[in-house]
Amino acid sequence: MKAKAAIHFDHVVMRFGKLRAVNGISMDIEPGQVVGLLGHNGAGKTTSIKMILGILKPTTGTVRVFGHDPAADRNMGGLREQLGYLPENLSFYPQLTGRETLQYFARLKGASGQEQKQLLEEVGLMHAADRRVKTYSKGMRQRLGLAQALLNQPKLLILDEPTVGLDPVATRDLYSKIEALKQQGTTVILCSHVLSGIEEYIDRALILSAGKILAQGSINELRQKARLPMTISVRGQIDNQDWLTAKGVTTRKINGSHYELSAAASHKLDLLRALANEKNVEDIEISMPSLESIYTYYNTIDQPTADRSPAVEVNHD
Amino acid sequence: MTNKILVVAAKEFKDGLRNRWVAGITVVLALFAMAISYFGAAASGMVGFTSLSTTIVSLSSLAIFLIPLIALILAYDSIVGEEEQGTLILLLTYPLKRSELLIGKFTGHAAMMALSTLLGFGSAGLLIAFFSAEVDLQELLIAYSMFIVTSILLGWVFIALAYLVSVISSEKSKASGVALIIWFAFVFVFDLLLLGLLVATGGAVGDALFGWLLLLNPTDIFRLINLGSFEATQVQSGLASIADKKMIQPLVLWSALLVWIVVPGFLAVWRFNKRVI
C-alpha cells in the first residue's frame, strides 16, 4: 500500500444478507488522479462509493480515505467540508429555488455567499436561480447538483453519472472544470456507464463486475493488455493487397473507394508506412479501440469465469 | 444546539411557511375550535358559548382527534421522503451527523406545530373570551393556556412518533400507512381495549392500575391534564374520569407527556444511526 493514497481499499467485502455487493476489492487511488469507475448496474460501483463516503461500513476489509476511516471517523480530519458528491437520481427540494437550495447546502458546508454566486454562474443557472427547482429540467437539476458538489473547492470529488441529462456544451464545461480541479490537486472519481467521451479525461479506469475489479490501469495499458484491433479507414485505392493479408490485416471494402482495415495495434507504424507509399491512397484515418470496446472486452472475457479472482490485472505503476 | 441543527431547523420551518402548512393547520384548528365551543353544549339543548368546563372538554376531544393526525401527516415522510428525493444520501456526506439532521428537522417541525397551535387555538380562545360574558377571565386564561401548551406537547409526541415511523419505513407509502395505524390505535383502539378489559374483569383491574395504564396512551394523559381540574366535567370525560385523580399527580402527568416525546425521539435517532442507506 502507498502511505499517501487518497483512497485505499484492502480486501474490502460488503455483504447485504447473502448478496456480496463488493467481493474483495483492493485498490489505491493516488491524490490528484481522475479515475473512472466503470461497470454495469449492480457491479458494485455505488456500494464502493458509499463506503468511501462513510455511509456504509464494510463487512470485512479496510477502507481509508486520506488515511481516515470514513465510517468511524466521521469528520475525516476536516475532509467532509471539502468533499464533493453528486449522487445519482438527485431531485432536490421542489419548493425551494435554485439559489435557496445551494444556500442551504453551502451553510451546512460552511461555504461563502460569494462562492454560491460564482458557482451558479459557472454551471449556467444564474438566469434560473430564483425559480423553484420543481420547474427545472433534468439537466438543470444535474447542474445544480454539480454546483453543490463543487462548493468549497473539493479535495475529493465523486460524481455518479454526472453527464446524464447534460447537453454537449455543459458536458464539455464539466470536463474542463474537472481538468482545472485536477490541476489544483483534486482527486476525482467519475462513475459512469456512458463510456464514450470520458476516456480522454481519466488517468485511470477501474472496471468492476460482480463486486470485483476486472481490470485497472490507464486506457493505454488496458488497450495493450486487451490486444484489441485498431481500425483504419482508407479512402482511395489499395493496389497491392497481398502484403496486408500477409500481416494478418483484415480488409473490408466498403465501396469502390473506401476500405476499412482491422489490425493489431502493434502494427500501427508498419501499416502507416506501407499505406503512405501506396500511390492511390488519398486519406487515412486511424481509430484506436475505444473505452467502450475495451470495457466490453473485459466484461465478456469474465463471463465464463465469473468466480475466479480478477482475470486480468494491470498494475498502474 | 449546534449551528448545523439550526440551519436544518430553519430550512424545515421556512418550508412549512412556504408550503402553507402553518397557515393551513392554523385555520383548521381555529375554525374547528370556534365551531366546537359554539356548539359544544348542543347535547344539553343549547348553542352558544357556555361554561368554561364544557368548552374545555369539547376542545380537548377535538384536539385529541386532530392534533395527532396533523402531526403524523406533517412529519411521517421527514426521513423516508428525503431518501426518495435523493437528498438524504447527499446530506449524509456533508459535515453533519445523522443525529444533528434528525434533531434539526424535528426542531423545525416542532416549531411549526407550536406556532400553528398557538395561533389556531389562541384565536379561538380570544373569540370565546369576547363572547362569553359570564366566564371568569382569569380562570379562562389559566385553563386555556394549559390547554394550548398541552396541545403543543401532544403535537410533539406525535411528531416524535412520526419520525420513528419515518426512520424505520423503507418507503413513503408504507410510512403513511403505519402513521395512520398509530393514529387509529391511540385515538380509538386503546381506549376501547381498556374499556373491554375493565368490563371483562368486572372492574377488578383496580383504580390504581387503571390510572397507570392510561399513561400508556399520550392522548389519555392529555385528557387527564385538561379535565382533571373540572369536577363538573367528569361525566363527559370518558375513561379518564375513572382514574383516581388524586393518585396521579399533575407532575406525573406532565412528566409522562414529556417522556412520550423524548423516548420515541431517542428511538428514532438510534434507529436512524443504524439505518442502511
Side-chain angles (χ1 to χ4, degrees):
Chain A
M1 98 171 245
K2 291 128 202 149
K4 289 269 178 177
I7 289 162
H8 170 72
F9 269 45
D10 187 22
H11 294 95
V12 173
V13 174
M14 184 72 226
R15 245 193 317 235
F16 298 108
K18 276 185 182 163
L19 174 77
R20 282 166 182 257
V22 165
N23 195 3
I25 287 185
S26 297
M27 62 167 181
D28 280 298
I29 294 175
E30 303 300 309
Q33 275 194 334
V34 179
V35 173
L37 199 57
L38 315 171
H40 296 305
N41 292 330
K45 287 177 298 174
T46 304
T47 307
S48 301
I49 284 179
K50 282 180 178 173
M51 287 191 283
I52 295 170
L53 293 168
I55 294 170
L56 286 177
K57 198 174 148 65
T59 314
T60 58
T62 317
V63 175
R64 291 286 178 273
V65 177
F66 288 99
H68 300 277
D69 177 353
D73 171 13
R74 234 204 98 66
N75 196 28
M76 297 198 280
L79 183 71
R80 286 261 173 217
E81 266 91 25
Q82 284 189 288
L83 186 140
Y85 173 51
L86 174 67
E88 219 183 338
N89 306 323
L90 180 60
S91 59
F92 283 120
Y93 306 106
Q95 73 284 5
L96 294 190
T97 67
R99 195 192 301 277
E100 288 166 335
T101 305
L102 195 59
Q103 192 177 49
Y104 177 53
F105 287 102
R107 279 186 184 149
L108 291 175
K109 234 182 208 178
S112 72
Q114 182 58 39
E115 201 189 350
Q116 296 166 32
K117 237 184 184 164
Q118 202 182 319
L119 280 172
L120 281 173
E121 197 84 66
E122 228 170 85
V123 299
L125 278 181
M126 218 26 157
H127 67 286
D130 294 314
R131 270 168 49 194
R132 293 195 183 193
V133 173
K134 67 176 168 199
T135 68
Y136 279 23
S137 68
K138 172 101 178 88
M140 290 165 83
R141 279 170 207 222
Q142 193 72 353
R143 282 187 271 167
L144 187 58
L146 282 170
Q148 67 75 29
L150 295 172
L151 284 164
N152 268 356
Q153 300 280 327
K155 242 174 99 181
L156 175 61
L157 181 62
I158 301 178
L159 305 174
D160 204 344
E161 305 288 356
T163 56
V164 170
L166 292 188
D167 57 51
V169 179
T171 305
R172 202 194 53 220
D173 288 351
L174 167 66
Y175 283 129
S176 49
K177 180 73 192 174
I178 288 174
E179 194 64 34
L181 283 168
K182 186 189 155 187
Q183 297 307 321
Q184 294 166 24
T186 304
T187 311
V188 184
I189 298 179
L190 281 175
C191 224
S192 189
H193 50 245
V194 184
L195 299 169
S196 55
I198 79 163
E199 55 229 274
E200 50 184 306
Y201 301 101
I202 59 177
D203 300 318
R204 238 175 113 201
L206 279 154
I207 301 179
L208 295 188
S209 177
K212 290 183 172 181
I213 296 181
L214 281 187
Q216 56 177 316
S218 69
I219 300 288
N220 264 329
E221 288 166 335
L222 293 176
R223 203 176 263 154
Q224 279 169 21
K225 201 79 184 177
R227 291 179 220 271
L228 288 176
M230 57 175 182
T231 312
I232 307 180
S233 309
V234 178
R235 194 154 59 85
Q237 291 295 329
I238 304 177
D239 299 329
N240 181 3
Q241 290 189 11
D242 298 342
W243 62 272
L244 283 174
T245 337
K247 275 191 188 297
V249 178
T250 352
T251 313
R252 201 156 60 92
K253 196 165 180 173
I254 307 285
N255 58 37
S257 60
H258 256 104
Y259 296 91
E260 208 175 78
L261 313 183
S262 180
S266 52
H267 290 321
K268 183 157 86 176
L269 285 176
D270 262 8
L271 271 171
L272 282 181
R273 285 196 190 96
L275 283 171
N277 282 328
E278 285 278 336
K279 292 271 179 327
N280 291 322
V281 168
E282 291 159 18
D283 197 11
I284 301 172
E285 206 176 296
I286 310 172
S287 35
M288 298 303 283
S290 65
L291 181 55
E292 205 150 343
S293 47
I294 295 174
Y295 173 77
T296 314
Y297 168 79
Y298 281 110
N299 265 301
T300 33
I301 59 163
D302 184 55
Q303 292 308 317
T305 55
D307 278 338
R308 225 171 45 182
S309 56
V312 180
E313 190 156 342
V314 182
N315 283 320
H316 181 57
D317 33 13
Chain B
M1 201 179 268
T2 66
N3 188 28
K4 301 274 163 59
I5 293 179
L6 283 179
V7 171
V8 176
K11 185 223 166 238
E12 208 64 44
F13 186 73
K14 247 172 75 181
D15 283 0
L17 291 179
R18 179 166 313 177
N19 294 343
R20 305 207 173 80
W21 263 112
V22 173
I25 298 170
T26 302
V27 169
V28 166
L29 292 184
L31 287 180
F32 272 98
M34 287 172 196
I36 288 277
S37 34
Y38 188 78
F39 295 112
S44 49
M46 311 182 276
V47 290
F49 300 105
T50 51
S51 73
L52 179 61
S53 59
T54 317
T55 307
I56 293 288
V57 171
S58 314
L59 284 175
S60 296
S61 300
L62 172 78
I64 285 169
F65 221 73
L66 279 183
I67 298 273
L69 186 63
I70 291 171
L72 286 164
I73 293 173
L74 185 69
Y76 80 92
D77 68 341
S78 52
I79 297 297
V80 75
E82 291 239 17
E83 186 172 29
E84 287 183 13
Q85 271 168 354
T87 43
L88 182 62
I89 186 165
L90 184 58
L91 285 169
L92 294 184
T93 69
Y94 271 63
L96 173 79
K97 286 189 206 132
R98 288 190 186 197
S99 56
E100 288 176 316
L101 176 65
L102 196 138
I103 293 167
K105 287 179 71 82
F106 180 90
T107 308
H109 277 138
M112 281 162 68
M113 199 67 204
L115 182 66
S116 317
T117 309
L118 185 66
L119 291 178
F121 282 159
S123 58
L126 287 180
L127 216 69
I128 294 166
F130 186 75
F131 279 111
S132 42
E134 74 267 40
V135 167
D136 178 356
L137 274 186
Q138 199 190 346
E139 205 188 345
L140 174 72
L141 191 70
I142 292 169
Y144 208 84
S145 302
M146 196 156 81
F147 167 66
I148 289 182
V149 172
T150 47
S151 292
I152 290 172
L153 291 179
L154 185 66
W156 291 358
V157 167
F158 281 88
I159 290 176
L161 288 169
Y163 269 78
L164 186 55
V165 170
S166 200
V167 155
I168 59 175
S169 303
S170 57
E171 284 162 43
K172 224 164 125 169
S173 51
K174 284 182 190 158
S176 65
V178 177
L180 280 178
I181 290 172
I182 285 184
W183 178 72
F184 201 69
F186 281 129
V187 175
F188 299 104
V189 180
F190 185 88
D191 284 5
L192 210 60
L193 287 181
L194 219 53
L195 195 64
L197 180 75
L198 203 64
V199 173
T201 57
V205 181
D207 280 2
L209 177 63
F210 192 77
W212 292 110
L213 283 176
L214 284 178
L215 296 185
L216 294 177
N217 184 346
T219 66
D220 280 327
I221 301 172
F222 172 84
R223 214 192 298 259
L224 283 174
I225 293 177
N226 278 294
L227 309 185
S229 45
F230 299 109
E231 286 301 320
T233 61
Q234 291 198 5
V235 193
Q236 295 139 304
S237 56
L239 279 178
S241 62
I242 302 168
D244 184 351
K245 282 178 211 73
K246 285 180 199 76
M247 185 211 63
I248 305 178
Q249 299 293 321
L251 186 68
V252 175
L253 293 173
W254 286 86
S255 309
L257 209 50
L258 291 179
V259 166
W260 266 104
I261 299 170
V262 173
V263 170
F266 266 110
L267 284 176
V269 170
W270 176 64
R271 286 301 304 249
F272 188 36
N273 279 328
K274 295 184 70 144
R275 183 179 172 122
V276 174
I277 288 149

